[in-house]
């Protein structure tokens, strides 16, 4: 049996959130600094934002607006899940083991250096 594997990468700039809406399930296995990292003692924090689960009141409103459901804007959680830290000259690669499904869009952000 043959298993197909696709390699995917995403460059994150500090303070910029990037939305990922996978076309199929995907496995996030690592994060690393780029080639030209500066050793200045700072650190980078890798953040994951998940789609917010609507309140019960929001669900009632959604039932009324089922016809308009096609292009609703997703709302993401305000507080991120910290999935890693990178420190120039010490920890420049972070191994991860996160699996996301095709119906689970996420946003990624890096803060710091």
């Amino acid at each position: 049996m043959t298993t197909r594997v696709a390699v995917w990468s995403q460059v994150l700039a500090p303070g910029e959130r990037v939305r990922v809406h996978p076309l199929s399930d995907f496995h996030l296995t690592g994060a690393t600094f780029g080639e030209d990292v500066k050793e200045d003692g700072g650190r980078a924090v890798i953040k994951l934002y998940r789609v917010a689960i609507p309140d019960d009141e929001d669900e009632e409103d959604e039932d009324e607006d089922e016809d308009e459901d096609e292009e609703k804007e997703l709302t993401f959680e305000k507080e991120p899940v910290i999935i890693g830290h990178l420190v120039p000259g010490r920890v420049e690669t972070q191994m991860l083991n996160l699996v996301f499904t095709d119906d689970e869009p996420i946003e990624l952000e890096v803060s710091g250096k």
Side-chain angles (χ1 to χ4, degrees):
M1 182 172 147
T2 303
T3 302
R4 293 183 182 186
V5 177
V7 177
W8 172 83
S9 66
Q10 177 67 52
V11 175
L12 299 174
E16 177 183 325
R17 284 171 69 164
V18 175
R19 184 170 298 175
V20 179
H21 197 146
L23 299 176
S24 63
D25 295 356
F26 81 102
H27 189 184
L28 184 59
T29 58
T32 189
F33 277 127
E35 188 174 359
D36 299 322
V37 65
K38 296 177 183 173
E39 294 187 38
D40 63 356
R43 71 177 185 162
V45 179
I46 307 161
K47 303 174 184 181
L48 166 72
Y49 294 87
R50 299 174 295 186
V51 173
I53 298 172
D55 296 343
D56 290 338
E57 293 175 10
D58 292 340
E59 286 181 21
E60 290 175 10
D61 292 341
E62 285 181 16
D63 291 340
E64 295 171 8
D65 299 331
E66 285 182 20
D67 296 334
E68 299 173 14
D69 194 44
E70 292 177 13
E71 288 294 324
K72 282 194 172 184
E73 182 64 29
L74 294 173
T75 303
F76 287 81
E77 293 177 342
K78 293 179 182 173
E79 294 298 318
V81 176
I82 306 302
I83 60 173
H85 296 90
L86 300 174
V87 181
R90 291 189 15 218
V91 181
E92 294 191 355
T93 299
Q94 174 72 56
M95 301 304 292
L96 302 169
N97 187 17
L98 303 171
V99 178
F100 302 95
T101 60
D102 62 350
D103 62 344
E104 184 179 8
I106 59 169
E107 287 187 345
L108 297 168
E109 179 183 27
V110 65
S111 62
K113 306 294 179 187

